[in-house]
Amino acid sequence: MSAQPLRKPETSAQATLTEAREAFTRGDWDTACRTMERVGEESPLSLEDLEILARSKWWLGDVQGSMALSEEVFHRLVADEQFRAAAKSALTLSLQWGVRGNIAVSSAWMNRARRLLDGLPEAPEHGYLLYLEGNDAIYLEGDADSAYDAALQLRAMNRRQKAPELESFAFMLSGLAAVRRGETTRGFADLDQALLPVMAGQVSAEWGGDIYCSVIHLCYELADYSRMRWWTDALAAWCAGLSTSFMYSGIVRVHELQLISAEGGWKQAEEELSHLGERLRNAHAWIAADCFCELGDIRRRQGNRSGAAAAYAMATALGTDAQPGSALLLADAGKNEEALTDLRAALADRGLLGRAWLLLPIVELLAPMDTDSAEVYCSELEGTAAYYGTVGLLSWAHHARGTLLMAHGLWLQSLREFEAAAQGYRSQHLRYELARIHERMSSIRAALGETAAADAERATAAAIRARLGAAPLSLGTADHEREGLTAREIEVLGCVLSGSSNRQIAHTLTISEKTAGRHLANIFTKIGVSSRTAAAAWARHHGISEDPRA
């Protein structure tokens, strides 16, 4: 019998390398990272091992370290003339830089991938490039048609390449395009289809996580909190099966906290949002900015103006326009004109859906003093809500129309609009918005002479605010805005509502005409208007009744 060849004993370095590779295979990213780094300190890592180290760092949430290593991998692939693999590396880096909020660097990496793929036989990597181009068309240019064309090309490519991720990309782009075209139901049917290959593990985590986040962000933009809850739960389940340490686990929590905040869990949300924003700011800039915007909204509603301003400043530093929150902070301080200026400026930089978030605040600020201008913005919001058809947007539209009808003194019509808004807010579990509606309805009931009903509405609003930990009634509500008006000034406003001149006001209230004029001037200053018409509109909007003696 012939002798068996002796097996060479594994060296210490080889044993360590084997340990790192095995740890990576079983998903023990921390061991894989630490062990691979130890090997790298003794000798240069092979290309494959460098990729393992880069991936391990990504799973652990060290996105900056991972991307630096991925850039090294890219250059080594190019040097080895592995152009297709280098293109895939460049495309992933493009995605990651885009997620971090650096569009210029993201575009540079996409162009590198494009040059490498140019002239090579068709491969799945061409589909990745097409997907990124379609995303840019949607998010940077608002071009739904180009995104839909890219989806058709991806479907045709998938029939040839048989790559499941291309199918996911195709449904993703066609779904986004359909929603942007106002075909919301059809669009989300496609987006649901895009999720299936991700859930089946057929799409790599970097790309699958971005698909989840893109759809959840779209739900948030549409104020569709019910659908946002479903997708957030799906993302949480997907993350739970992968790793508790990687970046998307933190992102899941951000979305969960946005929903918790919407439902009124402000204390819990506030405690976590600041920490998460800091953790994600260098990994996922726009999600980190969402953290700080949400934190700012909570603090503003609690009456913590300095804390809110600091949070909005952090969001702005990350490249996000912190509106309408930042402008509403000005309005809470009585700076309505400045708030309106900022909101109108922000409108110019936003598309149809982004504008919707600004229109209700503009209507609420404008209605008491300029109903004609408020009508323009209200009509736009109603058109946007009808176009997309989501409960959240329709609720905002009812809220805006009720506000405008209230300013005209059309109490019953405005009450119907507010009741419709309340129904929508209730179905979405939006507690703070419900409190604001009950405050409006309290003013209307008071104007209608329904004192008991007005008291009940006010008590409901106060109970919700107390449970939330919200500040006392803001400048946008009737009672707080009246605090600066004396009882006599409210009587003068009632006379103005009835159309009385200064002489008639003086006769009705048994005061001199000069005193009536002085009261009127004080009123104009306190409520921020410059004409009797605007003062009358403000009075109607805040439930002040006409003086029956006039």
Side-chain angles (χ1 to χ4, degrees):
M1 193 165 89
S2 60
Q4 294 293 323
L6 293 175
R7 183 178 179 185
K8 290 183 179 181
E10 193 172 45
T11 66
S12 174
Q14 288 172 327
T16 305
L17 197 55
T18 299
E19 179 188 353
R21 292 168 178 169
E22 289 175 349
F24 180 79
T25 300
R26 65 176 179 268
D28 184 355
W29 321 115
D30 186 55
T31 299
C33 184
R34 285 187 292 103
T35 310
M36 195 63 78
E37 284 181 327
R38 195 161 65 244
V39 174
E41 289 173 358
E42 298 178 2
S43 60
L45 295 174
S46 69
L47 184 56
E48 292 74 19
D49 291 333
L50 196 61
E51 287 179 319
I52 286 176
L53 181 56
R55 292 283 292 158
S56 297
K57 283 182 176 290
W58 188 84
W59 282 107
L60 290 169
D62 182 5
V63 179
Q64 283 182 294
S66 173
M67 290 172 65
L69 290 171
S70 294
E71 291 189 18
E72 185 178 342
V73 168
F74 167 81
H75 291 297
R76 288 175 64 170
L77 287 168
V78 171
D80 290 347
E81 297 187 356
Q82 298 184 51
F83 298 128
R84 179 177 154 188
K88 177 68 175 294
S89 179
L91 289 164
T92 302
L93 281 163
S94 175
L95 174 73
Q96 291 174 328
W97 276 107
V99 159
R100 290 183 66 182
N102 196 320
I103 302 303
V105 178
S106 174
S107 296
W109 279 106
M110 196 191 313
N111 287 332
R112 282 182 173 179
R114 188 180 289 112
R115 287 194 297 270
L116 288 167
L117 291 171
D118 188 29
L120 292 180
E122 183 184 82
E125 285 73 18
H126 289 85
Y128 282 78
L129 175 61
L130 195 57
Y131 175 62
L132 288 180
E133 291 172 338
N135 262 285
D136 282 356
I138 283 279
Y139 290 112
L140 302 183
E141 302 165 22
D143 184 357
D145 291 340
S146 293
Y148 186 73
D149 289 343
L152 295 179
Q153 293 177 58
L154 279 164
R155 288 201 177 96
M157 190 181 295
N158 184 46
R159 287 193 290 270
R160 298 187 296 270
Q161 296 294 323
K162 310 298 183 189
E165 64 267 37
L166 300 189
E167 178 184 25
S168 183
F169 295 162
F171 276 117
M172 186 69 183
L173 290 180
S174 63
L176 291 173
V179 171
R180 298 291 174 177
R181 289 169 165 177
E183 301 167 8
T184 306
T185 301
R186 180 183 150 226
F188 273 100
D190 280 1
L191 293 172
D192 290 343
Q193 289 291 315
L195 184 59
L196 297 179
V198 179
M199 295 175 69
Q202 296 171 324
V203 181
S204 64
E206 295 96 332
W207 298 81
D210 186 66
I211 286 173
Y212 272 111
C213 282
S214 294
V215 178
I216 292 171
H217 185 71
L218 176 62
C219 295
Y220 186 71
E221 281 189 292
L222 290 163
D224 190 342
Y225 292 94
S226 298
R227 188 174 269 124
M228 182 180 172
R229 287 183 184 91
W230 186 92
W231 274 81
T232 300
D233 289 344
L235 175 57
W238 179 73
C239 287
L242 297 173
S243 168
T244 58
S245 59
F246 87 127
M247 177 178 64
Y248 283 102
S249 297
I251 292 170
V252 168
R253 191 57 184 159
V254 173
H255 295 313
E256 288 174 341
L257 290 170
Q258 286 175 320
L259 293 167
I260 288 170
S261 175
E263 294 172 7
W266 291 354
K267 186 175 186 298
Q268 179 183 358
E270 185 180 11
E271 288 173 353
E272 294 187 54
L273 282 168
S274 181
H275 169 72
L276 275 171
E278 289 295 338
R279 172 184 162 189
L280 292 168
R281 61 184 304 172
N282 291 318
H284 207 301
W286 58 269
I287 286 289
D290 281 351
C291 278
F292 291 116
C293 282
E294 193 68 46
L295 182 63
D297 288 344
I298 291 171
R299 289 173 173 174
R300 173 175 56 79
R301 291 166 175 174
Q302 291 172 330
N304 178 3
R305 291 180 185 171
S306 61
Y312 291 139
M314 291 294 290
T316 302
L318 288 167
T320 292
D321 178 19
Q323 298 294 4
S326 186
L328 290 174
L329 195 59
L330 290 172
D332 287 347
K335 301 176 181 178
N336 287 6
E337 287 299 332
E338 290 180 46
L340 279 168
T341 297
D342 286 357
L343 288 168
R344 284 167 163 155
L347 280 177
D349 295 325
R350 297 198 182 186
L352 181 66
L353 191 52
R355 288 171 65 91
W357 283 76
L358 309 176
L359 295 172
L360 174 58
I362 290 176
V363 171
E364 290 193 295
L365 289 169
L366 270 178
M369 52 186 176
D370 186 352
T371 54
D372 289 342
S373 294
E375 173 64 43
V376 174
Y377 295 110
C378 183
S379 296
E380 180 183 343
L381 180 54
E382 288 172 330
T384 302
Y387 185 77
Y388 291 108
T390 64
V391 173
L393 292 178
L394 290 168
S395 298
W396 290 352
H398 285 301
H399 192 155
R401 179 54 64 186
T403 299
L404 196 52
L405 289 167
M406 190 176 176
H408 286 296
L410 300 172
W411 310 121
L412 293 178
Q413 295 96 316
S414 65
L415 194 60
R416 285 194 290 270
E417 294 291 339
F418 285 135
E419 286 171 344
Q423 183 177 354
Y425 291 150
R426 203 172 290 115
S427 73
Q428 301 257 75
H429 310 293
L430 303 180
R431 305 288 293 165
Y432 182 74
E433 286 73 10
L434 267 175
R436 296 177 64 220
I437 291 295
H438 284 296
E439 288 159 3
R440 292 295 193 199
M441 292 197 292
S442 171
S443 294
I444 293 172
R445 296 294 186 189
L448 290 170
E450 301 172 4
T451 305
D455 289 343
E457 294 285 4
R458 190 178 297 109
T460 299
I464 295 173
R465 282 183 172 272
R467 178 168 292 184
L468 291 172
L473 300 186
S474 69
L475 288 170
T477 57
D479 289 343
H480 190 73
E481 281 185 330
R482 287 192 200 176
E483 284 180 2
L485 296 178
T486 65
R488 176 64 86 188
E489 286 167 348
I490 289 174
E491 288 180 330
V492 170
L493 265 180
C495 293
V496 171
L497 262 179
S498 68
S500 298
S501 65
N502 283 11
R503 178 173 295 180
Q504 291 169 321
I505 292 172
H507 176 74
T508 299
L509 300 180
T510 319
I511 56 177
S512 70
E513 190 173 340
K514 183 177 180 180
T515 300
R518 187 169 63 251
H519 281 314
L520 201 55
N522 289 339
I523 290 167
F524 285 4
T525 299
K526 288 181 180 181
I527 66 177
V529 299
S530 58
S531 69
R532 299 175 80 94
T533 302
W538 187 97
R540 291 192 195 95
H541 183 71
H542 294 94
I544 292 175
S545 302
E546 291 186 18
D547 193 296
R549 297 168 294 172

